[in-house]
Amino acid sequence: MGKKGKALAKERREKRLQEISELRKVAYALSERWWSSETVAAVTGSNRGIGYEIARQLAVHGLHVIVTSRDSKHGREVVGSLREDGLSVDYCQLDVLNEVSIQTFARWISEKYGGLDILVNNAGVNFNTGSDNSVEYAERVINTNYFGVKRMIEAVIPIMRPSIYGARILNVSSRLGRANGRRNRVDDMTLREQLLRDECLSEELIDGMVLKFLDQVKNGTWVSNGWPQMFTDYSISKLAVNTYTRLMAKRLSTKPDGEKVYINCFCPGWVKTAMTGWQGNVSAEEGADTGVWVVLKPGRPDTGKFFAERREISF
């Protein structure tokens, strides 16, 4: 894309963000509000950044929100601040790397609230900023961003509360994880085709991809094997999340009406948070908007879709 093309793309994007800014000023009509103060939403890693903003905005819309974090002290301080603003929130310590912590969280939700209506998988890590592309922490990135999401989904599906509106799961992801994007995709065309064909999807395929990547990181061959060259480990983790979202949408579609669980993912954009070294081009409040919009959409929910800037985008 030349300078003119980039300028036009930037102009279109700025226009879209302005449109979204105006849409955010329009309150949900009472007829659109399928939720109530009894609707329970949990957001992982919500003590700061995008997760905090998703939790706060959901609470502003009148839901009861569970804030979670690894650091109990900081998490409880956040909850105290939100309560001072009159918002309905609670706190539970949660580490998505720890299976015992996840099971304790699921049991606590079940015992205290009888289950969960909405789960937002936001907890994630990234150790690269700017032009850096180290894979030194690749194992932790994959374990947190992908396997952490898997562990959470497996733990909460049994406790998602039956509803005519459907329980909802949202995975915070990234355009960097698009299987067939113009930039940053894997070179292996066969793998890309398998990842994009629903009939080929399986946990074995997705897990096999990330484990193969980690093996090649360990033996130093990841560059020559054609993995994405920008934020490599983060991109692979989000590619796995995107693909797993589609796989779970397919599996969950067989649930009967009244017990449906709808699952989607979204890209918040390049957000000014600690994860990006505060180098983003949108605020956390703006970045959280599409996620909140997806889980609160009235009518029959989408499932197995990918969203950014309040629009569906391709995988």
Side-chain angles (χ1 to χ4, degrees):
M1 183 184 295
K3 289 184 178 180
K4 185 177 180 180
K6 289 182 179 178
L8 289 173
K10 182 179 179 181
E11 183 180 337
R12 287 195 298 269
R13 184 175 174 280
E14 289 176 349
K15 181 180 178 181
R16 179 57 185 166
L17 292 178
Q18 184 58 43
E19 291 172 354
I20 294 171
S21 178
E22 294 301 315
L23 288 171
R24 291 180 61 200
K25 298 175 184 178
V26 180
Y28 286 93
L30 289 177
S31 60
E32 296 178 315
R33 295 170 66 94
W34 59 267
W35 64 92
S36 72
S37 60
E38 302 299 314
T39 303
V40 179
V43 185
T44 67
S46 45
N47 58 308
R48 65 178 186 174
I50 297 168
Y52 167 81
E53 268 302 320
I54 292 175
R56 186 189 70 81
Q57 291 180 33
L58 288 174
V60 166
H61 284 299
L63 291 79
H64 182 68
V65 180
I66 313 301
V67 171
T68 76
S69 65
R70 287 181 298 168
D71 181 348
S72 295
K73 182 177 182 294
H74 191 193
R76 293 186 187 281
E77 289 174 352
V78 166
V79 165
S81 176
L82 292 172
R83 284 176 175 167
E84 287 178 3
D85 292 336
L87 301 178
S88 179
V89 294
D90 203 347
Y91 177 77
C92 186
Q93 191 276 337
L94 174 65
D95 181 355
V96 301
L97 290 174
N98 188 312
E99 185 64 41
V100 173
S101 177
I102 291 172
Q103 293 303 323
T104 300
F105 165 80
R107 186 165 54 250
W108 179 83
I109 287 283
S110 185
E111 292 174 353
K112 187 166 185 176
Y113 295 103
L116 192 62
D117 300 293
I118 296 170
L119 170 68
V120 180
N121 283 309
N122 165 77
V125 293
N126 172 43
F127 295 93
N128 292 301
T129 58
S131 59
D132 297 339
N133 192 35
S134 166
V135 293
E136 179 182 356
Y137 302 100
E139 189 168 359
R140 183 176 174 188
V141 171
I142 297 295
N143 198 15
T144 305
N145 296 1
Y146 170 54
F147 287 113
V149 167
K150 279 189 65 176
R151 285 188 286 264
M152 284 300 302
I153 291 173
E154 290 168 357
V156 303
I157 283 178
I159 64 167
M160 299 299 273
R161 298 198 291 196
S163 166
I164 61 172
Y165 305 107
R168 306 180 182 200
I169 298 174
L170 179 68
N171 299 324
V172 179
S173 191
S174 172
R175 288 184 180 91
L176 289 173
R178 294 170 75 176
N180 213 21
R182 287 180 296 178
R183 299 185 306 154
N184 218 41
R185 63 189 181 188
V186 295
D187 285 350
D188 187 335
M189 187 177 296
T190 300
L191 175 60
R192 291 206 312 268
E193 290 177 352
Q194 290 175 327
L195 294 173
L196 287 167
R197 293 172 58 188
D198 287 350
E199 63 270 25
C200 294
L201 292 184
S202 67
E203 286 189 54
E204 291 76 16
L205 174 66
I206 306 167
D207 290 0
M209 174 188 69
V210 298
L211 294 175
K212 180 179 180 180
F213 166 67
L214 289 176
D215 283 342
Q216 292 178 357
V217 166
K218 290 177 182 178
N219 64 34
T221 62
W222 67 273
V223 174
S224 60
N225 278 288
W227 298 104
Q229 299 301 300
M230 180 189 301
F231 301 105
T232 303
D233 50 9
Y234 182 81
S235 298
I236 296 301
S237 74
K238 294 305 184 179
L239 172 59
V241 166
N242 290 346
T243 312
Y244 185 70
T245 299
R246 290 172 39 232
L247 173 63
M248 289 307 300
K250 182 179 178 181
R251 288 182 178 176
L252 294 170
S253 67
T254 61
K255 282 184 169 287
D257 289 342
E259 298 180 18
K260 294 289 189 185
V261 179
Y262 301 97
I263 181 169
N264 296 287
C265 51
F266 94 103
C267 174
W270 193 30
V271 184
K272 297 175 185 176
T273 65
M275 184 181 287
T276 64
W278 309 102
Q279 297 178 22
N281 53 23
V282 297
S283 67
E285 184 177 2
E286 293 169 314
D289 173 74
T290 294
V292 174
W293 172 78
V294 171
V295 295
L296 294 186
K297 286 180 74 173
R300 187 175 181 84
D302 296 294
T303 195
K305 305 294 184 182
F306 191 14
F307 297 93
E309 296 171 4
R310 291 203 181 196
R311 290 176 174 170
E312 183 182 343
I313 62 174
S314 71
F315 284 97

